[in-house]
Amino acid sequence: MACSTARCFPIGWQFVHNLVSFPGARIIFGWDSSLFSVSLISCSNQLITLSVEDLFEHKSFFVTVVYGLNLARERLSLWNDLRSLFPVIGSSAWTLLGDFIVVRRPSERMVGFDMSAASDFNSCLEDINMQHMLTKGYWYTWTNKQGGAGSNKSRLDKVLVNDHWLELFRDAEVVGHAPGVSDHCALVLSFVHKRFRVVPFRFYNFWMNNGGFKDLLALS
């Protein structure tokens, strides 16, 4: 498993997975070791939590990658795992991202909204002070790839953050890309740095015709 997974990443990258918590890794997390220092915090069959340091900007934060199980009762342990993490890392910048296999409200699913499962999810997010990060691009992140009356779409994949994350990464953004051959969209979280346009200095000769120009120039 380790050797085959390593071949999926570029040279110089490292990775972790949750193979030890499930018969077959459900989550694989990789990173460029020249850009980030990463330490494993916790691991279960539905999540991996890591401490991450940006080696260039020296910003530290926590990332929890989620892949929920299919049944609502199976996801109860996921919500409890997140609650147990909150006292430890909830006062730091923290993001949750991945496939939660559940939606928060009816507008996030075309067919078959499960109010009880949504209530479990929303209750957990309230307990750990998480919110949706503003996402551009595709709203629905999963489709059953069927047309007509059998079509169904849901917003199963999400990027959630706390207030500390928003303070640390004010320019970060999430973009949902077209699903392509997969039934899921790729969500890309970027740390965008705003570029300010440099305005060149300009001097206009007609300024010299102003009677007070020489006096103003002397003051400067």
Side-chain angles (χ1 to χ4, degrees):
M1 177 65 188
C3 293
S4 61
T5 302
R7 288 196 292 268
C8 297
F9 293 102
I11 296 174
W13 281 53
Q14 298 180 13
F15 66 92
V16 294
H17 53 67
N18 67 340
L19 178 61
V20 295
S21 300
F22 197 81
R26 304 182 74 245
I27 303 171
I28 300 172
F29 182 94
W31 67 93
D32 186 337
S33 57
S34 68
L35 301 177
F36 299 98
S37 174
V38 177
S39 300
L40 179 65
I41 301 299
S42 67
C43 179
S44 74
N45 61 344
Q46 299 185 81
L47 63 78
I48 293 178
T49 299
L50 308 114
S51 172
V52 181
E53 180 187 359
D54 184 326
L55 297 177
F56 285 87
E57 296 195 3
H58 303 291
K59 293 181 177 180
S60 297
F61 52 94
F62 292 92
V63 176
T64 296
V65 186
V66 173
Y67 185 16
L69 292 171
N70 290 330
L71 300 180
R73 66 175 182 271
E74 296 174 325
R75 291 192 296 272
L76 294 178
S77 61
L78 169 59
W79 312 141
N80 289 332
D81 286 344
L82 292 173
R83 288 186 177 98
S84 67
L85 284 167
F86 178 67
V88 181
I89 64 177
S91 60
S92 303
W94 184 19
T95 179
L96 310 179
L97 45 88
D99 185 357
F100 291 82
I101 318 289
V102 64
V103 299
R104 299 192 63 188
R105 53 183 67 90
S107 62
E108 294 184 351
R109 186 171 177 86
M110 290 179 60
V111 179
F113 175 68
D114 187 335
M115 184 177 296
S116 176
S119 178
D120 293 337
F121 184 31
N122 289 327
S123 176
C124 174
L125 297 187
E126 290 175 5
D127 290 342
I128 63 176
N129 296 330
M130 282 285 174
Q131 58 188 288
H132 270 292
M133 190 158 181
L134 181 64
T135 304
K136 303 177 181 178
Y138 277 68
W139 170 259
Y140 295 116
T141 64
W142 171 85
T143 173
N144 64 354
K145 293 287 188 176
Q146 296 182 22
S151 176
N152 194 6
K153 298 179 181 180
S154 296
R155 194 183 188 193
L156 301 180
D157 308 271
K158 310 169 189 295
V159 176
L160 307 168
V161 295
N162 63 6
D163 290 338
H164 303 291
W165 172 277
L166 294 174
E167 292 173 3
L168 186 63
F169 299 107
R170 296 179 182 272
D171 299 328
E173 66 177 24
V174 179
V175 178
H177 292 264
V181 297
S182 173
D183 56 354
H184 286 266
C185 292
L187 291 182
V188 178
L189 171 60
S190 303
F191 307 146
V192 179
H193 298 281
K194 294 181 179 178
R195 295 179 175 84
F196 296 93
R197 186 170 63 91
V198 177
V199 179
F201 173 77
R202 291 185 174 89
F203 182 83
Y204 298 97
N205 289 331
F206 68 82
W207 288 346
M208 299 177 64
N209 297 327
N210 186 290
F213 176 76
K214 292 184 179 180
D215 294 334
L216 180 63
L217 186 63
L219 291 175
S220 62

